[in-house]
Amino acid sequence: MDILQLFRGIAALMVVLHHSIGSLRYYHKINDPFLDYVGRMGKFGVDFFFVLSGFIITYSTFYKYNEPHAFGNYIKNRLLRIYVPYLPIGICMLVVYTLLPGFSNGNRTISALTSLTLIPYGNPALSVAWTLSFELCFYLLFSISFFSKKAWNYFVLSWFAWIVLFNYSSFSTFSFLKIRFFSILFSTYNIEFILGFVLAQLVLKKIKFNSIFLFLGLVIVLISFGYCTVTHVTIFAFDVNLLFALVAFFSIFIAIRCGDLKINNVGMLLMIGNATYSIYLIHNPLQMIVIRLFPKITSIAGALVALVTVLLLSCGIGYCYYLVFEKKAIRFLKSKLIK
């Protein structure tokens, strides 16, 4: 679906802006209310990614359950999809931070185990890789559906209940929740994957909703999201993230309901959408280097030039990275490993 690629591209660029504006603030002391707001909004691209991931995995797998070697092929596909593009940049950043610990802006303790495997033990060298641990968690849990769809459906209901219980009740003080594995398993971010799963079920079962209701729902959550982000109103923990996840939910539902939008195959937006994962992986070290080396920025105009430069480089280099590690390397390995 071209429209989903478009959404992925927009979400990736949001995250690029989030990190780049943070670097402008850190290296060049640029503090502009509008840029700061855009930067804060950019981090919600991750929430959009998680809803989209839950939808795409559920939707794309639905027609493959009865294929030969379905479970094995699913596991191989998911592992190749995550690790082949990740490992080159992940290993590179681990080497850089080991040899040049001052290269990082932050004061993070780097875990070699997590950096090499994405097993949730510590901080990965590539800072954005924390999201990949969540992706892997959902992919592995979703594999339950290959053995019993009913068991998976019941698991999702109980998983959602445990997430709510461990985050919004006195049970949130349990010490085992501080263990990295359990903090990921019961994180509120997983509600966004569940939203994507629910959306895919609605689409696959062709459950109809009035278009006016869908548009009204989107408008309500957009207004609520805008109000909360501008006024900094907080009703409960993670509320703004969930509001944006609902923006993603309604946006995807409406786009699919209205028909798949076709984009010119050589169009920039589709190219960005195809290379989203690679752009996401390489953008943070790239933007940090570019903005750190940029001549001293003292104006908003200069900041905008730097942001445009980072966006263009992230898209260009990210697309080249995509051609090598996603399109070529994954295709080659699939031809050897997947039946």
Side-chain angles (χ1 to χ4, degrees):
M1 297 181 185
D2 286 357
I3 187 63
L4 299 188
Q5 293 295 77
L6 174 63
F7 284 152
R8 292 178 73 228
I10 292 172
L13 295 182
M14 287 174 64
V15 178
V16 175
L17 285 173
H18 168 65
H19 288 124
S20 300
I21 291 172
S23 290
L24 283 172
R25 191 184 310 112
Y26 184 85
Y27 291 114
H28 298 275
K29 312 305 178 188
I30 297 293
N31 289 295
D32 176 77
F34 175 73
L35 283 183
D36 288 344
Y37 181 77
V38 171
R40 290 201 310 275
M41 295 308 97
K43 69 179 181 179
F44 295 107
V46 168
D47 302 276
F48 205 117
F49 272 133
F50 285 170
V51 176
L52 202 51
S53 290
F55 173 83
I56 290 174
I57 289 299
T58 306
Y59 187 87
S60 63
T61 305
F62 181 78
Y63 300 101
K64 298 179 180 178
Y65 284 114
N66 296 323
E67 292 181 357
H69 315 291
F71 174 69
N73 287 342
Y74 165 78
I75 293 295
K76 291 174 187 176
N77 266 309
R78 291 302 96 204
L79 293 179
L80 289 174
R81 183 76 181 90
I82 289 284
Y83 284 104
V84 173
Y86 165 71
L87 283 174
I89 186 68
I91 293 172
C92 177
M93 295 310 300
L94 178 61
V95 171
V96 168
Y97 286 143
T98 301
L99 298 178
L100 302 169
F103 184 76
S104 174
N105 296 349
N107 189 25
R108 298 180 301 133
T109 301
I110 304 298
S111 165
L113 176 64
T114 302
S115 298
L116 295 173
T117 67
L118 297 175
I119 292 172
Y121 178 76
N123 296 312
L126 183 66
S127 59
V128 299
W130 68 270
T131 62
L132 304 185
S133 295
F134 281 91
E135 295 276 356
L136 280 171
C137 177
F138 181 75
Y139 292 164
L140 292 175
L141 292 174
F142 184 78
S143 65
I144 295 171
S145 67
F146 283 86
F147 301 95
S148 171
K149 293 178 185 176
K150 183 179 289 188
W152 166 243
N153 291 337
Y154 282 125
F155 174 81
V156 169
L157 288 173
S158 61
W159 189 25
F160 175 78
W162 283 112
I163 290 170
V164 173
L165 192 65
F166 286 140
N167 285 279
Y168 300 106
S169 74
S170 58
F171 291 102
S172 62
T173 59
F174 282 5
S175 59
F176 78 89
L177 292 173
K178 295 179 182 178
I179 299 172
R180 187 65 63 97
F181 171 79
F182 290 108
S183 69
I184 287 180
L185 181 62
F186 297 115
S187 168
T188 44
Y189 274 114
N190 292 307
I191 296 174
E192 298 172 347
F193 289 101
I194 293 172
L195 271 175
F197 163 73
V198 170
L199 176 56
Q201 292 297 317
L202 294 175
V203 172
L204 288 166
K205 294 180 179 179
K206 296 181 170 57
I207 297 176
K208 302 291 185 181
F209 286 94
N210 190 290
S211 297
I212 295 175
F213 168 78
L214 294 177
F215 278 104
L216 183 60
L218 178 59
V219 169
I220 290 172
V221 293
L222 269 173
I223 292 173
S224 302
F225 173 77
Y227 176 78
C228 289
T229 55
V230 169
T231 61
H232 303 286
V233 169
T234 299
I235 301 172
F236 56 87
F238 206 68
D239 54 354
V240 180
N241 299 72
L242 290 178
L243 279 172
F244 196 78
L246 287 172
V247 170
F249 179 94
F250 281 107
S251 298
I252 298 167
F253 205 169
I254 290 169
I256 293 172
R257 177 71 184 273
C258 295
D260 190 22
L261 173 66
K262 294 296 180 184
I263 305 172
N264 188 335
N265 284 333
V266 296
M268 180 62 71
L269 289 176
L270 188 56
M271 290 172 65
I272 293 172
N274 290 336
T276 293
Y277 183 39
S278 290
I279 292 171
Y280 181 76
L281 289 174
I282 63 96
H283 84 273
N284 204 29
L286 177 64
Q287 65 81 20
M288 184 173 64
I289 293 170
V290 171
I291 291 179
R292 180 183 286 189
L293 297 178
F294 225 84
K296 184 62 178 176
I297 299 171
T298 57
S299 66
I300 299 304
L304 292 176
V305 170
L307 289 176
V308 171
T309 301
V310 168
L311 286 171
L312 291 175
L313 287 173
S314 295
C315 291
I317 296 174
Y319 189 75
C320 294
Y321 193 91
Y322 154 78
L323 291 177
V324 174
F325 294 106
E326 291 193 69
K327 202 165 185 180
K328 300 289 186 182
I330 291 179
R331 182 184 298 173
F332 173 77
L333 290 171
K334 281 184 177 181
S335 69
K336 300 296 182 182
L337 298 174
I338 296 178
K339 299 177 182 178

